[in-house]
Amino acid sequence: MVSILTHLIFLFCFYTAIAVTGNEIGANVLQTYIVRVQKPEHVTFSTEKDLESWYHSFLAATIIKSSVDDHHQSRILYCYKNVMSGFAARLTAEEVKAMETKKGFISAHVETFLGAHTTYNPKF
């Protein structure tokens, strides 16, 4: 009876440690976020580089210094220019929380992939 109770206590402690470690790792995982921002009033960007530079201002200083990761790819993946004002970037949840305090920030959502729902498909 004592050995069963000891095993149960050990398993409970072991699984709790795994859950805590998993949450800590999950907070530092890079995910692709779609970030919407509000353009400043009475400001026009003369070139695409100016717009991209303004988008980079939403990133934390540590990201800007290391904006190129280990695989030599930029953290900002795409800059939206026509339909909306914003960008797609590889960020952690902590970096998004820091970005939320900046003026002009509207929202950030993790990119989701949706399958096509259509009857015009050869496999339908």
Side-chain angles (χ1 to χ4, degrees), residues 19-50:
V20 169
T21 305
N23 288 340
E24 291 172 359
I25 292 170
N28 294 325
V29 172
L30 286 176
Q31 293 181 306
T32 301
Y33 282 85
I34 307 299
V35 180
R36 291 189 59 216
V37 294
Q38 183 177 7
K39 284 186 180 179
E41 293 181 21
H42 309 297
V43 174
T44 55
F45 298 104
S46 58
T47 65
E48 288 184 17
K49 288 288 185 190
D50 292 339

Side-chain angles (χ1 to χ4, degrees), residues 8 11 14 18 25 28 31 33 45-46 75 82 84 87 96 105-106 117 123:
L8 289 174
L11 287 175
F14 180 71
I18 289 174
I25 292 170
N28 294 325
Q31 293 181 306
Y33 282 85
F45 298 104
S46 58
R75 295 283 293 273
N82 299 319
M84 68 175 226
F87 56 94
V96 172
F105 176 85
I106 296 175
H117 296 289
K123 295 181 182 179

Side-chain angles (χ1 to χ4, degrees), residues 23-97:
N23 288 340
E24 291 172 359
I25 292 170
N28 294 325
V29 172
L30 286 176
Q31 293 181 306
T32 301
Y33 282 85
I34 307 299
V35 180
R36 291 189 59 216
V37 294
Q38 183 177 7
K39 284 186 180 179
E41 293 181 21
H42 309 297
V43 174
T44 55
F45 298 104
S46 58
T47 65
E48 288 184 17
K49 288 288 185 190
D50 292 339
L51 182 64
E52 290 178 25
S53 173
W54 181 67
Y55 288 154
H56 275 281
S57 72
F58 283 90
L59 302 179
T62 55
I63 299 173
I64 294 171
K65 289 179 183 174
S66 65
S67 65
V68 178
D69 66 10
D70 297 337
H71 303 292
H72 305 293
Q73 296 175 340
S74 176
R75 295 283 293 273
I76 291 186
L77 303 173
Y78 186 79
C79 295
Y80 296 99
K81 300 169 191 77
N82 299 319
V83 175
M84 68 175 226
S85 178
F87 56 94
R90 304 275 299 157
L91 304 167
T92 65
E94 292 175 357
E95 293 166 347
V96 172
K97 283 186 181 183

